[in-house]
Amino acid sequence: MPTGDIRYTSPPTATNNSSPIVAFEDEVWLWSQIKAEARRDAESEPALASYLYSTILSHSSLERSLSFHLGNKLCSSTLLSTLLYDLFLNAFATDPSLSLAAVADLRAYRERDPACISYSHCLLNYKGFLACQAHRVSHLLWRQARRPLALALHSRVADVFAVDIHPAARIGKGVLFDHATGVVVGETAVIGNNVSILHHVTLGGTGKAGGDRHPKIGDGVLIGAGATILGNVKIGEGAKIGAGSVVLIDVPPRTTAVGNPARLVGGKEKPSKLEDVPGESMDHTSFISEWSDYII
Amino acid sequence: MPTGDIRYTSPPTATNNSSPIVAFEDEVWLWSQIKAEARRDAESEPALASYLYSTILSHSSLERSLSFHLGNKLCSSTLLSTLLYDLFLNAFATDPSLSLAAVADLRAYRERDPACISYSHCLLNYKGFLACQAHRVSHLLWRQARRPLALALHSRVADVFAVDIHPAARIGKGVLFDHATGVVVGETAVIGNNVSILHHVTLGGTGKAGGDRHPKIGDGVLIGAGATILGNVKIGEGAKIGAGSVVLIDVPPRTTAVGNPARLVGGKEKPSKLEDVPGESMDHTSFISEWSDYII
Amino acid sequence: MPTGDIRYTSPPTATNNSSPIVAFEDEVWLWSQIKAEARRDAESEPALASYLYSTILSHSSLERSLSFHLGNKLCSSTLLSTLLYDLFLNAFATDPSLSLAAVADLRAYRERDPACISYSHCLLNYKGFLACQAHRVSHLLWRQARRPLALALHSRVADVFAVDIHPAARIGKGVLFDHATGVVVGETAVIGNNVSILHHVTLGGTGKAGGDRHPKIGDGVLIGAGATILGNVKIGEGAKIGAGSVVLIDVPPRTTAVGNPARLVGGKEKPSKLEDVPGESMDHTSFISEWSDYII
Amino acid sequence: MPTGDIRYTSPPTATNNSSPIVAFEDEVWLWSQIKAEARRDAESEPALASYLYSTILSHSSLERSLSFHLGNKLCSSTLLSTLLYDLFLNAFATDPSLSLAAVADLRAYRERDPACISYSHCLLNYKGFLACQAHRVSHLLWRQARRPLALALHSRVADVFAVDIHPAARIGKGVLFDHATGVVVGETAVIGNNVSILHHVTLGGTGKAGGDRHPKIGDGVLIGAGATILGNVKIGEGAKIGAGSVVLIDVPPRTTAVGNPARLVGGKEKPSKLEDVPGESMDHTSFISEWSDYII
Amino acid sequence: MPTGDIRYTSPPTATNNSSPIVAFEDEVWLWSQIKAEARRDAESEPALASYLYSTILSHSSLERSLSFHLGNKLCSSTLLSTLLYDLFLNAFATDPSLSLAAVADLRAYRERDPACISYSHCLLNYKGFLACQAHRVSHLLWRQARRPLALALHSRVADVFAVDIHPAARIGKGVLFDHATGVVVGETAVIGNNVSILHHVTLGGTGKAGGDRHPKIGDGVLIGAGATILGNVKIGEGAKIGAGSVVLIDVPPRTTAVGNPARLVGGKEKPSKLEDVPGESMDHTSFISEWSDYII
Amino acid sequence: MPTGDIRYTSPPTATNNSSPIVAFEDEVWLWSQIKAEARRDAESEPALASYLYSTILSHSSLERSLSFHLGNKLCSSTLLSTLLYDLFLNAFATDPSLSLAAVADLRAYRERDPACISYSHCLLNYKGFLACQAHRVSHLLWRQARRPLALALHSRVADVFAVDIHPAARIGKGVLFDHATGVVVGETAVIGNNVSILHHVTLGGTGKAGGDRHPKIGDGVLIGAGATILGNVKIGEGAKIGAGSVVLIDVPPRTTAVGNPARLVGGKEKPSKLEDVPGESMDHTSFISEWSDYII
């Protein structure tokens, strides 16, 4: 996680204090908030009430609601919703960090995406959020050496959400996949905490050899829409990757890389340093003037 | 809408005359055309006849056919087809401009996409067309302050078609989303009439602040595949954005912007002027020679 | 297919010997391998056994397994699984080259994608593989002048897998669509043998006129993620297109094109020649140092 | 309808006054009652709330609720819910007597079946009620000479509810089919008002000749479980048929027939007269003592 | 099959001539008839056209139509329609007598049931016909020693149609199950040719010992609604069993048994002889006057 | 439960010893037996393996298998399988007597029905068994005062299995519903242990007044097919009710009632006494000779 002079925008309890009790209280508060939102929406919109009751209001916890919703979203005629529901319930019961991560992710969407008008809206409708939670479960299966099942789940997520995150990839907390369609994250990729990744972003490999071959994304990084990062390169903490960039090199912390192929804003030798955490501030375009100067 | 010496290829009634009677006659003609096409196809291909009868031939109007088809395409185990069908029927009954726009869109696909061999083919199979009609309904719901329902519908479109248009975005008539997969259009974006947008195009925002933060696309614009346009920039009438471009600046009317970052063809000071309407001519690559000269 | 000093990594039987008997034996061997994998996975993972039996272990041949799996993946409420199953079974019975191509494709994924841990994993879970096999069937229908049915199937593939290959496009054998989401291949495009194409790749047209207007991709080509190739250009055998490139020009055999707009690595006059077949070696980034020198 | 000294238990408005305004007010009152019941149940049982909202609480009228519920109950993979929903909505709009009959039936269940704890319970869960409303629609189709559609709907009711009422059969209002499984009503059968019919009851024909060949059931009749009435016989107003009886003869008004073959209680010449309306009082067994005397 | 003076109503080819060529021509004629009926209905009723095309008009033979229709009727979330469709197609290909029996059954319904207005109506909508054809397939599986599959199919028929025929039961051709709901036929029961059986009929066993323990029904028998025949008793050719009878004894050929317990009409010693074949004439009630005399 | 000289055929542990440990061991043994059967069937019949894995072999206990199977059998588009699965899992966890009863019932089917060839066959395919287990859960809900949910579940059972047991009815253990179609059991009915009930049996009420109005069935009773028992009458332990009987009177223990209306075999004053337990011996017809003597 970024340190020093970086400004945090999320409330202290959510990110600074990771004791189990605080985390549990945090989830309890969030779940009650989600139910309150869903209740309000159900009252104002009867046509949606059935949907809100089946997905949120009839459940006793965030984990059960998520398991139900994902089971019904990801099922197919050969992978039944009841089987997937069971799988998700078991995963949440086995690994409490899944819930913590879901809570942190919900906060990330709510804080960073101005189009996200409520937690319940994110829980129900954001394919990036849902794909990421399903990934966390397939990652757990992968770590438990249940690879065929992990890959079958991964395949359903890739079909249903058009989000393709390899089960072995490791993803931190508070991660925002905005819009999410077309995201591809390879087997040995690692994504830190509080990262924001737009749609069509690729964290890809470089050949047909196995081994550690995908990018490592530091905490607080922002990766713009359509950016392609290839190979076992390191994107430092708090760095920013411009939309549409093709990155084949390491990017130092708190610097900006843009273009195809991507270069560092401010120059390779002494790149400009960012003052905020782009993964949280979501500022995609502040480098424009500087970049323009640099290129044209 | 572009004026002056721009050549129109669509028939006069479709674009020049917007009286209700003409519009109604236009729709009647188009619907009878669609039924004739479907009847011909059902006769030549019995395996498809059931599909053609259920989606087109059993319906009395374009609105009912579309409502049925979208209801069945977008339903899920928690949002039933009957509920969505009702929603679409009500929307078409409430706002006649939805039908007008659907008719204009059908004409746009048929005229501009050489792979579109019939109106019925577009109505049934083009995810860009279907996603756009569903968006128009979610936009109506948004304007009626039924936001949770608008967002739930938006989410289904994003899942099923991998097309992500925020319910608040405003879209004109005669708009072609070609291939459409991966299109992302943000909350405050505006798209004019007779625009053509290829797949993987992003009309995105620039940060986590709310407010007016997405592109404004003028009439007759053509945006090539994979182009990313970010921020509250203005793409002038009849402009052309090259495939894969990353546009962070205003583009004047009837000029071409290409590259990452995008620059104006012909130069910033005195960019070359286009003579046709690229959103209608669909000429993606006429700038190549000029561009090559400019860059290399 | 590339000739000369190019090293082949696939076994001789698969690529050098195309007699029907050898091909049949090759398929028999592969199918027995797939069943053995599925049996092993079913035993180790009871939760997945039902899925593995219904999709693989209950079937007597690769063709039946594929027909069943695609029928269930691509069906909708208006295009029933039984209808599609029939369609696929008939297609495989009509045209034996469909099976040969499926076998060659399975080998391609297994050999070139280090994340592909087994043939059965590819058969069940790889949307690129499945979309391509469904395309081959819609292409057969297209050639049989059953265009409405071909287009309806094409539409289902575009919805379910977010892979949009026009039924008329011609595709060789041993073709890998890695990740595959967002791939768009136009009507008059041709793809050779042993080609590897990453996700978000577009082989697109250049306007609204019909005729031969899409790229021709030679044998053994590798096209990186997000590359956009537009117009009736020719990408020579064994060429490589860098990720994110926008290609509007011909690329000679065994050369590399990168950038937006794409240029040849080594220069237009005397481009560097590749020594291996990139479509098989999958080496995406070996040109980096050279490229960097060239550009910055 | 029986006259004279027969005691009515239903409220005056429901049966004595058939002016359109009163009928409409009656339905409005009943629908508000059903919604209040559903709201109470949804609050007390969150697990059922989604079901109650989708079937009742999201609808604006009894007709829409019934159309939705029947459409979803009776649909199949080849007769879609959206098609049936449309069919039911149109039927209710075309023929207002369908609503009146539904209201009268709901009252009948609520008044005569002590296990019927609420109107909403009947509307949602009673297969006899639902099968009868679906029959009324297939009867309307039959009268409109849309026989193939009427028979297809009839077939779905026979499959789903195991209730087999020929579309041509005429059924009055305020009719209770208690339990309903196995009821068979033939083509030329007629059932009066305020009749109560238990499960496994057959109103059957007598041969393979066409023409008027099924029973005519007068107002206020009660037919016990498993009774079989064959041929064009007349069961008089207010008569009672004992459970398990096989009736091949006319039964005079307000008399009881029991046994296999059925005989009149009290004797053929001067059968005992009933004092209440058995179809409303539901008294199945008051004849036991008399019968025992008579037989043994 | 009854001989002598019994009048046959079915055409000679259908029952008298069993050469393969005649049988095949008979089926070809019938199938063309069914298609003609379906085409006429599709034209007159667009709302049903999709159903008629998917179930009949898109198929090349009666066997394929039946396999499709039964596969879609009997499937469940754990027994997929594609699996059942395969099973039925294989059965019809394996055993040609299944088609012959289906043809004879269709003729039986059309000739004996005045409510059966067309062959296509029977094929699509008659649960007795459909349950019987599915039984024939489960019987084939039983004879092939594939008992678990036979029983799974039997269970689906019992759920979907409420018709419970044990896979081991043997059933002749030209058999009519009228209305069919509630029919139960035990493991060692045998039913001859040209038999007509009404709904709620039981051919049951008598205890928990195995062995031959169910009724044997001769050719041309008519069994009325709700009749219960228990034990290894023999119902002679051309006999008639009255509705609601409980039969625990052998019934001689061409006699009538009625009542609970059933007795022979005309007396045990010299029962009245029937002159027609009741299984074909469907005369349920001609014995009434005689019976009445006998009992009362 | 019957006492004295009655011979029991079930093993001692199942019926005589009700300690929790023995019961648990009994269930463990039975579940391992079921899995062994299913494994054998899956090996011999690949077409059924998927079904057997999803319903039995992928589950860790009888309760989970039953919950899964019932959830998928009873679900509808408005009552999702995941919701029902949850409901069943919770019920089995809340009330251990549900498992005990299921085990006793499975033993009853296996011992008393010669057509029941294995426990797994009963668990998967017997609608009587499945309907009864679902009833036990709806009865639990009823006792927990969750009446709307109990009635919704009851309604699904009545639709899917054509078995209509009111949630309030009390049913003992080791109860066999043979064939089961058409069974109706009223609100205040009570059924003892080791009872066997055939199809079309009614335990019905007698009027529209509430209160205790349905039959009370003692232990070890056998009720033949189509029998109708009405009113708050008492059928004594070990009694037998003949098929098709209409019973309106009390029947003393170990006596037989037959006919319509039913009379005691041997006469009202000194009826014949049965020597075995008919509910277990399943001897339906031993009274025939005596009955015949009595009546004719």
Side-chain angles (χ1 to χ4, degrees), chain A residues 10-295:
Chain A
S10 46
T13 56
T15 54
N16 290 350
N17 192 326
S18 59
S19 84
I21 292 170
V22 169
F24 176 72
E25 283 178 0
D26 196 37
E27 184 187 338
V28 167
W29 176 84
L30 187 66
W31 178 237
S32 72
Q33 187 68 14
I34 287 170
K35 287 200 126 172
E37 293 167 1
R39 205 168 289 115
R40 180 201 58 202
D41 290 347
E43 269 159 35
S44 75
E45 181 67 81
L48 206 60
S50 173
Y51 176 66
L52 293 165
Y53 271 95
S54 73
T55 52
I56 291 178
L57 291 167
S58 67
H59 298 284
S60 57
S61 68
L62 177 59
E63 290 86 354
R64 297 192 80 84
S65 169
L66 252 177
S67 298
F68 178 92
H69 196 43
L70 286 171
N72 279 298
K73 280 242 177 204
L74 296 175
C75 68
S76 73
S77 54
T78 49
L79 275 176
L80 297 182
S81 60
T82 36
L83 186 152
L84 292 178
Y85 180 48
D86 238 15
L87 190 67
F88 288 118
L89 284 179
N90 284 340
F92 281 111
T94 301
D95 183 352
S97 79
L98 294 176
S99 306
L100 296 182
V103 168
D105 291 354
L106 281 167
R107 287 190 175 282
Y109 283 81
R110 187 77 179 87
E111 282 162 12
R112 296 178 213 160
D113 180 1
C116 179
I117 60 173
S118 70
Y119 293 111
S120 62
H121 168 36
C122 178
L123 172 63
L124 293 176
N125 298 331
Y126 270 53
K127 62 199 288 191
F129 172 75
L130 292 168
C132 185
Q133 310 318 308
H135 161 76
R136 296 189 200 286
V137 172
S138 77
H139 181 60
L140 174 65
L141 294 168
W142 188 266
R143 285 192 288 118
Q144 293 170 334
R146 302 175 73 183
R147 298 193 172 188
L149 189 54
L151 290 165
L153 179 54
H154 162 245
S155 165
R156 289 304 300 154
V157 176
D159 284 2
V160 170
F161 296 124
V163 174
D164 183 341
I165 307 175
H166 193 283
R170 284 182 284 145
I171 300 184
K173 292 180 204 167
V175 172
L176 165 71
F177 288 99
D178 202 4
H179 304 294
T181 300
V183 162
V184 171
V185 177
E187 183 175 357
T188 61
V190 179
I191 297 172
N193 296 318
N194 300 317
V195 168
S196 293
I197 292 177
L198 273 282
H199 52 287
H200 302 320
V201 163
T202 296
L203 306 182
T206 52
K208 76 178 188 184
D212 196 346
R213 63 197 185 281
H214 296 96
K216 310 294 174 281
I217 310 300
D219 293 344
V221 167
L222 168 66
I223 307 179
T228 303
I229 309 177
L230 296 181
N232 189 359
V233 298
K234 188 170 171 143
I235 310 301
E237 291 180 1
K240 182 192 303 191
I241 309 297
S245 303
V246 176
V247 181
L248 305 163
I249 53 171
D250 285 356
V251 175
R254 296 171 52 206
T255 58
T256 300
V258 291
N260 177 2
R263 287 143 297 184
L264 302 185
V265 169
K268 202 171 172 181
E269 300 310 314
K270 202 158 183 288
S272 314
K273 284 287 172 181
L274 296 163
E275 294 199 357
D276 60 359
V277 181
E280 296 182 356
S281 68
M282 303 294 287
D283 178 353
H284 291 252
T285 53
S286 61
F287 56 85
I288 294 179
S289 57
E290 193 173 358
W291 190 21
S292 304
D293 296 348
Y294 177 70
I295 294 176

Side-chain angles (χ1 to χ4, degrees), chain E:
Chain E
M1 204 169 64
T3 56
D5 57 347
I6 290 165
R7 288 174 286 107
Y8 287 94
T9 55
S10 47
T13 57
T15 56
N16 288 350
N17 192 325
S18 60
S19 84
I21 292 170
V22 170
F24 177 72
E25 283 177 2
D26 199 38
E27 184 186 338
V28 166
W29 175 85
L30 188 66
W31 179 237
S32 72
Q33 188 66 15
I34 288 170
K35 286 199 126 172
E37 294 167 0
R39 207 167 287 117
R40 181 200 58 204
D41 290 349
E43 270 159 33
S44 75
E45 182 66 84
L48 207 59
S50 172
Y51 177 65
L52 293 165
Y53 271 95
S54 74
T55 53
I56 291 178
L57 291 167
S58 67
H59 298 284
S60 56
S61 69
L62 178 59
E63 291 86 353
R64 296 192 80 85
S65 170
L66 252 177
S67 298
F68 177 92
H69 197 43
L70 287 172
N72 280 298
K73 280 244 177 201
L74 297 174
C75 68
S76 73
S77 55
T78 50
L79 275 176
L80 297 183
S81 59
T82 36
L83 186 152
L84 293 177
Y85 180 47
D86 238 15
L87 191 65
F88 287 118
L89 284 179
N90 284 340
F92 280 111
T94 301
D95 184 350
S97 79
L98 294 175
S99 305
L100 296 182
V103 168
D105 291 355
L106 281 167
R107 286 189 176 283
Y109 282 81
R110 187 75 179 86
E111 282 161 13
R112 297 178 212 159
D113 180 0
C116 179
I117 59 172
S118 70
Y119 294 110
S120 62
H121 169 36
C122 178
L123 173 63
L124 293 177
N125 298 330
Y126 270 52
K127 61 201 284 194
F129 171 76
L130 292 168
C132 185
Q133 310 318 308
H135 162 75
R136 294 192 202 285
V137 172
S138 78
H139 182 59
L140 174 65
L141 294 168
W142 188 265
R143 285 192 288 119
Q144 293 171 334
R146 302 173 72 181
R147 300 195 171 186
L149 189 55
L151 291 164
L153 179 54
H154 162 244
S155 164
R156 288 305 300 153
V157 176
D159 285 2
V160 170
F161 296 124
V163 174
D164 182 345
I165 307 175
H166 193 281
R170 283 182 285 146
I171 300 184
K173 292 179 205 168
V175 173
L176 165 70
F177 287 99
D178 204 4
H179 303 296
T181 299
V183 161
V184 173
V185 177
E187 184 175 357
T188 62
V190 178
I191 297 173
N193 296 317
N194 300 315
V195 168
S196 293
I197 293 177
L198 273 281
H199 52 287
H200 301 320
V201 162
T202 297
L203 306 184
T206 52
K208 75 176 187 186
D212 195 347
R213 63 196 185 280
H214 297 96
K216 310 293 175 279
I217 310 299
D219 293 343
V221 167
L222 169 65
I223 308 179
T228 304
I229 309 177
L230 297 181
N232 188 359
V233 299
K234 188 169 170 142
I235 310 301
E237 291 180 2
K240 184 192 300 189
I241 309 297
S245 303
V246 177
V247 181
L248 306 161
I249 53 170
D250 285 355
V251 175
R254 295 171 52 204
T255 58
T256 300
V258 292
N260 176 1
R263 286 142 301 183
L264 302 184
V265 169
K268 203 172 172 180
E269 301 309 318
K270 204 164 180 284
S272 314
K273 282 286 171 184
L274 295 164
E275 294 198 357
D276 60 358
V277 181
E280 296 181 358
S281 67
M282 303 295 287
D283 178 354
H284 290 255
T285 53
S286 62
F287 55 85
I288 294 178
S289 57
E290 192 173 359
W291 190 22
S292 303
D293 294 348
Y294 179 70
I295 294 175
I296 305 177

